[in-house]
């Protein structure tokens, strides 16, 4: 005899068992991408143009007349 409640519970159990997370290789690729982005960002921030602009902004803020 077919029981609708048992069928519904079985379907819910199958959905809960699905592996929808990242695998180890996906974590590794995400970590590599994050490190590469951090390296590029570091190079941009420490470049002469950006460094000079940041120093100018900070200098203006520290020398502001109150």
């Amino acid at each position: 005899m077919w029981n609708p409640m048992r069928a519904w519970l079985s379907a819910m159990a199958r959905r809960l068992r699905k592996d929808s997370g990242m695998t180890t290789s996906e974590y590794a690729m995400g970590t590599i991408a994050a490190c590469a982005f951090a390296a590029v960002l570091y190079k941009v921030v420490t470049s002469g143009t950006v460094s000079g602009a940041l120093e100018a902004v900070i200098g203006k803020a520290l020398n502001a007349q109150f």
Side-chain angles (χ1 to χ4, degrees):
M1 181 172 183
W2 184 72
N3 185 348
M5 186 64 160
R6 178 177 283 173
W8 183 81
L9 286 173
S10 177
M12 290 303 292
R14 277 193 305 274
R15 282 189 202 144
L16 291 175
R17 278 185 264 145
K18 275 179 44 175
D19 181 23
S20 60
M22 290 196 320
T23 62
T24 304
S25 62
E26 289 170 333
Y27 277 116
M29 292 303 293
T31 301
I32 291 169
C35 290
F37 180 72
V40 169
L41 186 60
Y42 176 76
K43 285 300 230 180
V44 168
V45 170
T46 57
S47 69
T49 306
V50 176
S51 180
L54 288 173
E55 286 177 14
V57 168
I58 292 171
K60 285 180 185 177
L62 292 176
N63 294 327
Q65 298 293 326
F66 290 104

